[in-house]
Amino acid sequence: MLMMRRSFINLASHSSVRWRSTDQARVTHPSSSFGAEGLIDPEWATAKPYKCIPGPTVWQLVTGFMKGGRYAELNLVELHYRLREEYGDLYRIPGWMGRPDILMSFSPEAFEKVFRTEGQWPVRRSFDCMGYYRQKVRPEIFSETSGLVTSQGASWQKMRTITNPVLMQPKTVNVYVEQVDEVCREFMTIIAKLRDDKQELPEDFNEWINRWALETTGVLAMDTRLGVMRAKDSGEGHRLVDLVDEILELSYQLDVLPSMWRYYKTPRFNKLMRLFDEMTDITMEKIDEAIARVEKNPTSEDNQSVLKKLLKINKHVAVITALDMIFAGIDTTSSGAAAILYCLAKHSEKQARLREELRTIMPSKDMPLSANMMSNLPYLRACIKEGMRMYPPTAGNIRATGRDLVLQGYQVPRDTDIAMGTLVLMSDEKYYPRAKEFLPERWLAERDSDIPNAKNVNPFIFLPFGFGSRSCIGKRLAMMEMEVILARLIRQFDFRWNYGDYKIRTTVINVPGCPLRFEVRDVDH
C-alpha cells in the first residue's frame, strides 16, 4: 500500500504550497500569446468551469489504496491507466496536506498549449525542502540564487541566462568526451573483476553504476576525479554516493508524501537538513580545491571546461551549478543507462547490430574515444531513445500554467500545476504501435516498411528532458555520458539477462527496482 501511495502521489507533483520562498512564491508570468487573442483564451467563455473537471475525492483515494482497494496492488503505469479509464484524459487530483490541486493530462495537444504559453519565467515546482535549506539554513552560500533546481522567476532567469551558453554548447560537451571515456575504460576493468563464476554481476551492481555516474559528474562539474570507483572506504567521495541516495529518499518522503514539516520540523526533516549540510560541505570543499587548480593552470579559450568558463563569468553561479550537477547528475544517468543496457541484453540481435556500428569507429575494442568518433552513431542514439521511451527517467513533465487556459474543454486558472502523463502515452499503441517491443529502428530514417516511424508521433509526447527554456540544462552532457558508457560497454562485452522482467522503483526519479545481475562475457574482437 505504501509503495502504491508513493507511486500515486509521484504522478501528481513534487510540490507543496505551505512553505514558499521568495523565489517560489506565486510568480507573475509575462504575457505570452497562444493565438491572436493574447491573454484571453478564445475558448474561455464557452469552456466548462474548473470545478467540473472529473477526478477522485480525497476519501476515494484513501480507501482506494487501502488493502483490497481498487488501486492497492497497481504499479505506477497500471494506476495511470486505471485512473484514465475512470476519469478520462484530464482529471483532477484534489489538494491535500497543504498541496494544491494537480491536473493530470494525457493530451499531447494540451502539453503543447501549456508549454507554448508558460511565458518568460516557466514555473516548475520541486524540492521544497532543498529550497528551504538553501534559503533559510545556508543563506551565506545560496542567498544570491538557490540554483536552477529550486529557483523561480527572475532569479531562475538570471542563472539560466549565465549557464545556458556554457552548458548547452556542443563545443563544451565535446571537451569532455575523452575524459568521460577514460572513466568508462576504468569502469570496464572493474566490471570484468566483479563477475562471479557464472560470469554474472553482483546484486549490488546498481551501486557500482552510481559510483561511475558520480565519478563522471565530478569530472563534468568540478574537473575532479573523486576516486569513488575504487574499493569502498570512508572517503568523502564515497560518502557522496550514499548522501545523494539518502537525500532523494527523504526528499521523496517529505516533499511528495504527506508530511507535517511545514508546520512542525519533524525528525525526518531535521535529518534531511543535516544530510544537506554534509553534502554541501563535502562538495564545497571539492569545489574550492578545483577552483584553486583552475586558477593556477589556465587553459586556452577553445578547451575550457564548464567550471573554468563559469568562473570567468560569475564565481557564485559556478559554485551553485557544480552543486546542482552533483545532486542531479548521478541517479538520472545511471538509471537511464541501466534500463537501456537491460533492453539490449534482452535483445541480442539489436545488441549485435549496435556492436557492428561501434566497430566502424572502434576496430579495436580498447581504443580511446574522441568527440569526432562519436559524431555519427545513429543506431546508438536510436537505442538510447527507444530505451528511454520504454523506461523513462521520470513519470512525466510538470508545469504551472502561465495564464488562464482552456485545456481539453475546461477552464484552467493561471498557476495551476499540470502533470503530463507521457509515461502512459509512450507505451500506448495509439501513439507508438508495437509499443511493448524494443525497436530502435523506429527512430531511424532508413528502416523496414513494417517498423513504425517515431517521427509520425506528436513530438510533445517524447520529451525526456522537458521542453522550452526550462528544459534540462544538462541534457547534452547527459546524452554524451550515456552514449560513451553504452558504446564502451557494448563494444567490450556481450550482455545477457537471465531473470524476470526489469522492474522500476518510482521515487523522485525512476530507479532500478531489481538487482542488475547481468551476465557479462568478453567480446572476442
Side-chain angles (χ1 to χ4, degrees):
M1 174 181 170
L2 177 59
M3 287 306 298
M4 286 314 307
R5 287 177 60 195
R6 290 181 177 185
S7 296
F8 168 73
I9 298 169
N10 189 62
L11 74 87
S13 174
H14 295 162
S15 66
S16 57
V17 294
R18 288 297 178 188
W19 179 81
R20 278 283 183 267
S21 69
T22 303
D23 280 347
Q24 291 173 312
R26 181 180 290 267
V27 176
T28 302
H29 298 257
S31 64
S32 57
S33 56
F34 187 89
E37 284 72 21
L39 292 176
I40 306 299
D41 193 309
E43 301 175 81
W44 186 268
T46 57
K48 300 175 185 176
Y50 175 83
K51 65 181 180 180
C52 294
I53 297 174
T57 64
V58 171
W59 179 246
Q60 287 173 325
L61 293 176
V62 171
T63 57
F65 287 113
M66 290 181 177
K67 186 176 181 179
R70 60 187 293 102
Y71 310 133
E73 303 301 325
L74 303 180
N75 63 35
L76 181 62
V77 177
E78 292 168 342
L79 177 62
H80 281 201
Y81 273 113
R82 176 67 58 81
L83 289 169
R84 188 185 183 195
E85 288 171 0
E86 293 177 350
Y87 300 107
D89 280 350
L90 181 72
Y91 56 82
R92 181 172 60 90
I93 308 298
W96 63 326
M97 289 297 291
R99 304 177 190 280
D101 287 356
I102 303 294
L103 297 188
M104 190 77 194
S105 173
F106 297 93
S107 166
E109 293 74 23
F111 305 165
E112 179 176 6
K113 194 170 187 178
V114 171
F115 280 127
R116 298 290 191 196
T117 58
E118 60 186 0
Q120 183 183 359
W121 299 338
V123 175
R124 184 187 62 203
R125 287 180 268 260
S126 62
F127 293 108
D128 275 5
C129 286
M130 179 188 285
Y132 182 95
Y133 169 78
R134 291 187 169 188
Q135 294 192 29
K136 300 295 184 181
V137 181
R138 300 297 293 271
E140 76 278 11
I141 297 175
F142 301 101
S143 58
E144 184 177 326
T145 178
S146 61
L148 290 175
V149 175
T150 57
S151 293
Q152 309 291 353
S155 175
W156 166 83
Q157 185 186 41
K158 176 184 176 182
M159 188 164 184
R160 185 80 188 213
T161 300
I162 294 172
T163 53
N164 244 22
V166 176
L167 283 164
M168 298 292 281
Q169 266 196 10
K171 183 187 295 186
T172 302
V173 176
N174 291 340
V175 166
Y176 285 105
V177 171
E178 293 179 17
Q179 296 176 69
V180 169
D181 183 49
E182 181 181 340
V183 177
C184 290
R185 280 183 282 143
E186 291 182 24
F187 192 40
M188 298 306 103
T189 303
I190 292 170
I191 289 175
K193 294 178 179 178
L194 286 174
R195 294 176 291 187
D196 61 18
D197 55 2
K198 295 181 181 179
Q199 301 297 300
E200 289 184 347
L201 296 174
E203 291 193 359
D204 68 347
F205 182 62
N206 187 48
E207 180 187 333
W208 284 96
I209 294 185
N210 285 341
R211 291 197 211 178
W212 157 78
L214 176 56
E215 188 74 13
T216 304
T217 304
V219 171
L220 300 177
M222 302 180 294
D223 295 333
T224 299
R225 288 298 302 268
L226 298 170
V228 295
M229 294 194 301
R230 296 191 291 268
K232 194 164 187 179
D233 54 30
S234 58
E236 291 178 336
H238 290 104
R239 178 60 181 147
L240 279 174
V241 177
D242 296 333
L243 280 170
V244 171
D245 286 342
E246 292 179 60
I247 286 171
L248 286 175
E249 179 60 32
L250 279 175
S251 296
Y252 186 76
Q253 294 173 12
L254 293 166
D255 285 337
V256 181
L257 301 179
S259 173
M260 297 291 292
W261 75 263
R262 297 161 191 85
Y263 312 99
Y264 164 74
K265 299 304 180 275
T266 65
R268 283 181 176 175
F269 175 84
N270 291 329
K271 179 181 179 181
L272 180 57
M273 295 299 106
R274 292 194 297 272
L275 293 175
F276 275 133
D277 254 340
E278 188 178 356
M279 180 180 176
T280 301
D281 291 342
I282 292 174
T283 308
M284 287 297 296
E285 181 179 344
K286 298 294 183 184
I287 292 171
D288 287 341
E289 293 171 359
I291 290 173
R293 286 196 304 274
V294 168
E295 291 174 345
K296 287 182 180 179
N297 300 290
T299 59
S300 68
E301 184 69 27
D302 290 337
N303 194 36
Q304 287 193 354
S305 65
V306 168
L307 182 64
K308 293 184 181 77
K309 288 187 175 182
L310 288 178
L311 282 172
K312 284 190 170 185
I313 303 169
N314 185 308
K315 183 175 180 179
H316 182 78
V317 169
V319 170
I320 303 305
T321 299
L323 279 165
D324 280 350
M325 288 175 71
I326 292 292
F327 176 74
I330 301 176
D331 289 72
T332 47
T333 52
S334 63
S335 298
I340 298 161
L341 190 58
Y342 163 78
C343 293
L344 291 165
K346 288 284 288 183
H347 298 85
S348 58
E349 75 286 359
K350 311 295 184 185
Q351 186 179 164
R353 177 173 176 179
L354 174 57
R355 189 172 295 112
E356 286 305 306
E357 179 180 78
L358 295 170
R359 281 195 174 106
T360 65
I361 65 164
M362 285 189 285
S364 168
K365 62 184 178 182
D366 297 321
M367 65 188 301
L369 290 169
S370 67
N372 286 338
M373 293 166 68
M374 299 296 296
S375 63
N376 185 28
L377 294 169
Y379 198 70
L380 172 61
R381 294 185 176 94
C383 288
I384 292 173
K385 286 182 178 180
E386 184 70 348
M388 294 178 76
R389 178 192 70 80
M390 297 185 74
Y391 300 100
T394 64
N397 293 297
I398 185 167
R399 287 289 193 278
T401 50
R403 62 178 178 86
D404 294 347
L405 292 177
V406 173
L407 297 178
Q408 296 163 249
Y410 293 93
Q411 296 173 348
V412 177
R414 182 181 68 86
D415 209 35
T416 300
D417 286 332
I418 310 296
M420 306 176 194
T422 52
L423 184 148
V424 167
L425 299 188
M426 286 189 292
S427 60
D428 191 329
E429 290 285 330
K430 174 183 175 182
Y431 298 102
Y432 289 95
R434 301 170 64 181
K436 293 182 179 180
E437 297 181 50
F438 179 66
L439 295 174
E441 293 79 7
R442 73 171 81 234
W443 301 94
L444 300 176
E446 295 182 7
R447 64 193 181 285
D448 293 340
S449 58
D450 62 330
I451 302 293
N453 186 357
K455 292 185 178 180
N456 293 333
V457 181
N458 189 304
F460 283 85
I461 295 177
F462 184 77
L463 293 172
F465 298 106
F467 178 83
S469 59
R470 192 130 197 178
S471 62
C472 175
I473 197 166
K475 60 186 176 183
R476 290 186 184 275
L477 289 170
M479 280 298 294
M480 182 268 289
E481 286 181 75
M482 286 193 287
E483 288 170 10
V484 173
I485 187 63
L486 289 165
R488 185 58 66 191
L489 286 167
I490 299 305
R491 181 63 187 90
Q492 187 145 345
F493 299 114
D494 184 73
F495 286 83
R496 293 290 182 270
W497 183 267
N498 303 322
Y499 298 94
D501 291 340
Y502 184 78
K503 293 181 175 59
I504 284 178
R505 180 169 59 90
T506 301
T507 59
V508 174
I509 61 173
N510 297 328
V511 298
C514 59
L516 301 178
R517 297 190 62 188
F518 292 102
E519 178 186 334
V520 182
R521 298 191 178 273
D522 295 322
V523 171
D524 292 335
H525 62 278

